[in-house]
Amino acid sequence: MAVAQAATVASGLTRALVRLLRAALLCCLALGAASAADRQACGVAESFSNPGLLAAMRRGVNLPGWDNADIAHRPTLAQLQALRDEGFGHIRLPLDNRRLTAENDEAYLDAVVEQIVFLLSLDYAISLNLHADETIGQLFERDPGEAERILSRLWRAIAKRVQHFDPEKIAVELLNEPRTDADTWRKTAAALIVEIRRILPDNTIVVGPSGPQRHEELAAMPPFDDGNIVYAVHFYDPFAFTHQGADWGGPDDPIQHLKGLPFPAFAADEVMRGKIAELSSSGHKAAATMLRLALDTPWTEEALAPAFDMMSAWSAKHSAPVIVNEFGVLSHVAPRQSRLTWLAAVRRQAEDHCLGWTHWDFQDGFGLIDPKTGMPDEGIMRALVPAAE
């Protein structure tokens, strides 16, 4: 009996010690979210109910292509381990609504679970992002109620598959860039939160404002009555710079004619005046107008700061964490050094405002993988994770 009692006491002490060590680690992680030497502690990060996950969201990357039909084009163990070694702790994992509603949806859910296990083995935290195609947006236009019912059905299926994973490692993001108005999205999101909470009472839920998830929409968005939500914003300003050369907007989209645009830049710069004149003379007047209007606000880090001030103020007002879970520059025609300068500026603004960030994307047009080496691009790594840190 004495031996059993001693064992019980020892076991209790061990558990208590583990809890203390875990609490200390989480405290350190939360405080570590502030990277600037002169920054005040991030109060929201310290008080949030899931501080370990929030700390992991300090630095992350989106992982489109994880489910590529061609295995050779999926992210590799070596690539993901290299990013983990650089201090990336968060993977935003896009889920394909088309494959979740197909006849082989169970097989796709199996693949999602396998990917979660793989990423957890590398000590990543994961946010499962329902990255729907245009059909969901079209359904919102025709029948918002049916859109809500379909999203609820999808989330019930996903939630049941992940309910046994550690909630401190798995977040769920309701919908990427909801293509509907703010009121409709708020009603839908509130219903989805209730639905998910029945299955996942302790997991962090990620919610963004409607549309392209801009900071202005966040500023007008009341928080939900749930203390375990992270609010997600996408940041691509100035759009004419970050998306220069984008060719998926159709034949009339003027942005496809923009190329070689630098950052920083001003309307009065000789090179920018030359770009506008060249576009006009070559018959791309819409592109010239687009560029001229975009330069009404200087392309500088100082001009980016008010957006982050807005996000930070909203976060402080509502005691709710905010993450920039998409930002990046299309690499096709953007000058490399300008791209690196912009990435460093956005990363710096996010961190100086105690906001986590998740780069878009992995190894596609906005990617951070060097196509020559197949490993993380050294220049991008230094822009996102300066050696001094």
Side-chain angles (χ1 to χ4, degrees), residues 134-289:
E134 67 278 0
T135 59
I136 296 296
Q138 292 166 356
L139 188 55
F140 266 119
E141 293 177 1
R142 298 194 310 271
D143 189 344
E146 181 62 14
E148 179 184 314
R149 285 187 287 274
I150 288 177
L151 291 173
S152 293
R153 185 165 66 247
L154 293 177
W155 274 115
R156 283 195 299 271
I158 298 166
K160 288 176 182 177
R161 286 301 195 101
V162 304
Q163 63 183 324
H164 300 299
F165 288 106
D166 183 355
E168 292 189 357
K169 302 292 285 187
I170 307 292
V172 292
E173 183 177 351
L174 300 185
L175 185 63
N176 178 71
E177 299 190 351
R179 285 181 51 188
T180 187
D181 63 88
D183 290 340
T184 299
W185 174 235
R186 182 168 184 80
K187 176 180 177 295
T188 303
L192 293 177
I193 291 168
V194 170
E195 191 74 43
I196 289 171
R197 281 288 176 243
R198 294 192 180 108
I199 305 171
L200 303 176
D202 300 318
N203 292 71
T204 294
I205 294 175
V206 180
V207 185
S210 61
Q213 297 186 214
R214 288 188 58 83
H215 54 278
E216 299 96 338
E217 291 297 319
L218 176 72
M221 176 181 175
F224 293 93
D225 187 19
D226 188 305
N228 194 6
I229 291 181
V230 170
Y231 295 84
V233 171
H234 295 176
F235 190 80
Y236 291 104
D237 290 348
F239 194 81
F241 169 74
T242 62
H243 282 65
Q244 58 185 292
D247 58 3
W248 55 82
D252 297 327
D253 189 350
I255 203 165
Q256 64 188 303
H257 303 297
L258 303 182
K259 60 182 179 180
L261 304 180
F263 182 93
F266 299 86
D269 291 346
E270 182 178 349
V271 64
M272 301 308 277
R273 294 201 309 269
K275 293 284 186 184
I276 293 171
E278 179 184 346
L279 288 165
S280 295
S281 64
S282 60
H284 302 304
K285 295 188 182 300
T289 299

Side-chain angles (χ1 to χ4, degrees), residues 20-239:
L20 286 171
L21 289 173
R22 184 182 184 190
L25 175 60
L26 291 179
C27 179
C28 291
L29 287 171
L31 290 173
S35 62
D38 60 347
R39 184 190 308 153
Q40 295 180 349
C42 299
V44 173
E46 294 172 357
S47 63
F48 188 62
S49 62
N50 197 351
L53 178 68
L54 192 61
M57 285 182 166
R58 178 189 178 196
R59 293 172 177 158
V61 63
N62 286 266
L63 208 64
W66 72 270
D67 54 356
N68 195 303
D70 185 349
I71 295 177
H73 288 90
R74 296 180 185 178
T76 68
L77 170 61
Q79 291 170 332
L80 292 168
Q81 184 62 66
L83 286 175
R84 191 69 189 90
D85 292 344
E86 290 278 3
F88 286 68
H90 171 223
I91 296 292
R92 184 174 182 240
L93 197 69
L95 304 186
D96 188 341
N97 65 296
R98 296 165 300 181
R99 297 178 68 177
L100 286 166
T101 54
E103 291 183 2
N104 61 344
D105 59 336
E106 290 298 322
Y108 186 66
L109 285 167
D110 287 344
V112 171
V113 170
E114 290 174 2
Q115 187 69 12
I116 290 172
V117 171
F118 171 53
L119 294 172
L120 289 176
S121 74
L122 296 175
D123 196 30
Y124 279 107
I126 305 151
S127 55
L128 302 173
N129 160 236
L130 189 55
H131 212 88
D133 67 351
E134 67 278 0
T135 59
I136 296 296
Q138 292 166 356
L139 188 55
F140 266 119
E141 293 177 1
R142 298 194 310 271
D143 189 344
E146 181 62 14
E148 179 184 314
R149 285 187 287 274
I150 288 177
L151 291 173
S152 293
R153 185 165 66 247
L154 293 177
W155 274 115
R156 283 195 299 271
I158 298 166
K160 288 176 182 177
R161 286 301 195 101
V162 304
Q163 63 183 324
H164 300 299
F165 288 106
D166 183 355
E168 292 189 357
K169 302 292 285 187
I170 307 292
V172 292
E173 183 177 351
L174 300 185
L175 185 63
N176 178 71
E177 299 190 351
R179 285 181 51 188
T180 187
D181 63 88
D183 290 340
T184 299
W185 174 235
R186 182 168 184 80
K187 176 180 177 295
T188 303
L192 293 177
I193 291 168
V194 170
E195 191 74 43
I196 289 171
R197 281 288 176 243
R198 294 192 180 108
I199 305 171
L200 303 176
D202 300 318
N203 292 71
T204 294
I205 294 175
V206 180
V207 185
S210 61
Q213 297 186 214
R214 288 188 58 83
H215 54 278
E216 299 96 338
E217 291 297 319
L218 176 72
M221 176 181 175
F224 293 93
D225 187 19
D226 188 305
N228 194 6
I229 291 181
V230 170
Y231 295 84
V233 171
H234 295 176
F235 190 80
Y236 291 104
D237 290 348
F239 194 81

Side-chain angles (χ1 to χ4, degrees), residues 288-368:
T289 299
M290 180 183 190
L291 181 54
R292 185 172 61 254
L293 293 175
L295 286 164
D296 282 348
T297 299
W299 294 4
T300 63
E301 181 171 350
E302 291 73 21
L304 303 182
F308 292 87
D309 292 341
M310 186 180 293
M311 297 178 224
S312 180
W314 188 94
S315 177
K317 177 181 178 180
H318 299 292
S319 296
V322 174
I323 180 175
V324 182
N325 73 349
E326 276 195 27
F327 73 106
V329 180
L330 184 62
S331 62
H332 298 339
V333 295
R336 175 174 170 80
Q337 187 54 54
S338 292
R339 185 182 180 218
L340 299 180
T341 299
W342 186 90
L343 289 173
V346 173
R347 185 270 309 166
R348 193 159 42 241
Q349 286 297 313
E351 293 183 351
D352 285 351
H353 287 83
C354 292
L355 308 174
W357 53 258
T358 310
H359 181 269
W360 181 274
D361 53 38
F362 185 72
Q363 58 186 356
D364 295 327
F366 292 76
L368 49 66

